[in-house]
Amino acid sequence: MMQMPGYCFGVTGWPLAQTLSPLLHNTGFQALDFPGVMFAWPVKLADLELFVNSVRLLNIRGCCITIPHKIAIMPLLDEICEDARNVGAVNTLFWRDGKLCGDNTDVMGFLAPLEAKSSFNGQVLLLGAGGAARAVCAGLKSLGLKDVFITSKSNKRQAQLAEKYAFTSVEWEKRYSLEAGLIINATPLGMLGENIGVSPYDFSHYPGKTPGIAYDLVYNPLETLFLANAAGHGWECISGLEMFYWQANAQFMRWTGDALPVASRLALEDALGLDI
Ligand code: NAP
């Protein structure tokens, strides 16, 4: 019997303790009979150039790039896509016309779940100004939003980010003075570990009358205090699972031309302990 040629994919970062990317993509490859397999490759920053050379030599078909390589990998590639240029970081490798390209699918991943939600008053409060917040800002800019207010507890990084996108930097202590219709948690507060059970925002202090949309980027656990508190005050909620799923969907489409099948979504929900 003739064997189909197989395609090799990977996810790389350091350390790479827990990654859900192989589960999502391998489930997708199998469900669609696509002859691909994804491996997890922990690679130290000092070995990144060697790693990219290996991707070229072995014709690795695609790769997810995670912390701490998202910025350092950029000069090692042949082309950088627009979203990755805007964000200043790459989370996906793929080949186009013989060139090794870098994209950032976090922007699409952030935007996709918003499409299914109600409209809001156009004002956004972004809590956190780190790597994920950069993709959020690029997404908000692409929607033509101008009233975006960025804050982080140390008040260190938000001014630079706000300036880049012509948004506004706000002191952490002043976050309850804004009637934002979309409030986004891009801090690690609420995450499994030392930050579990902590929230960057108490919706009982929201100064407006109309509840809006609360969007948490944290996906482990799925039910964070931020979202539980928002829902309790009548806010529509988006969990971090959505952004994670839709950024992976954009990667899968780059590599296979198909959307992730429903089996991948179910595998992700199962892994995150959602009742299905
Ligand atoms: P990061 O680069 O470390 O940035 C974290 C931001 O949160 C920084 O602005 C930091 O403040 C702020 N922060 C940290 N501790 C805080 C605290 N105790 N109180 C208030 N603010 C605090 O992290 P990241 O990569 O942006 O990730 C942020 C979160 O998003 C993580 O939970 C990550 O898992 C999640 N995420 C989810 C997805 C998804 O697909 N759903 C994708 C990417 C990231 P300073 O600016 O002052 O340092």
Side-chain angles (χ1 to χ4, degrees), residues 124-200:
V124 183
L125 174 61
L126 173 57
L127 304 155
R134 289 157 64 150
V136 169
C137 283
L140 294 172
K141 194 75 186 176
S142 75
L143 294 177
L145 293 168
K146 294 190 176 77
D147 289 340
V148 178
F149 298 85
I150 311 174
T151 186
S152 75
K153 198 171 181 180
S154 70
N155 295 313
K156 267 193 313 210
R157 283 194 270 179
Q158 79 256 27
Q160 207 184 357
L161 190 60
E163 194 183 328
K164 176 173 176 182
Y165 290 96
F167 293 157
T168 308
S169 165
V170 174
E171 284 175 37
W172 184 255
E173 291 69 28
K174 300 211 172 125
R175 66 197 186 284
Y176 294 116
S177 64
L178 297 160
E179 291 189 28
L182 172 62
I183 301 183
I184 302 161
N185 176 27
T187 76
L189 296 187
M191 253 173 88
L192 207 63
E194 61 184 32
N195 288 315
I196 196 154
V198 188
S199 171

Side-chain angles (χ1 to χ4, degrees), residues 70 81-89 91-92 103-115 131-143 165 215 242-243 246-248 250:
K70 288 182 165 192
C81 298
E82 192 184 347
D83 278 346
R85 262 202 314 274
N86 284 339
V87 176
N91 79 337
T92 308
D103 197 1
N104 192 310
T105 62
D106 280 339
V107 182
M108 281 170 82
F110 165 71
L111 289 173
L114 279 174
E115 281 169 20
R134 289 157 64 150
V136 169
C137 283
L140 294 172
K141 194 75 186 176
S142 75
L143 294 177
Y165 290 96
Y215 193 153
E242 299 301 335
M243 177 169 166
W246 288 106
Q247 66 77 27

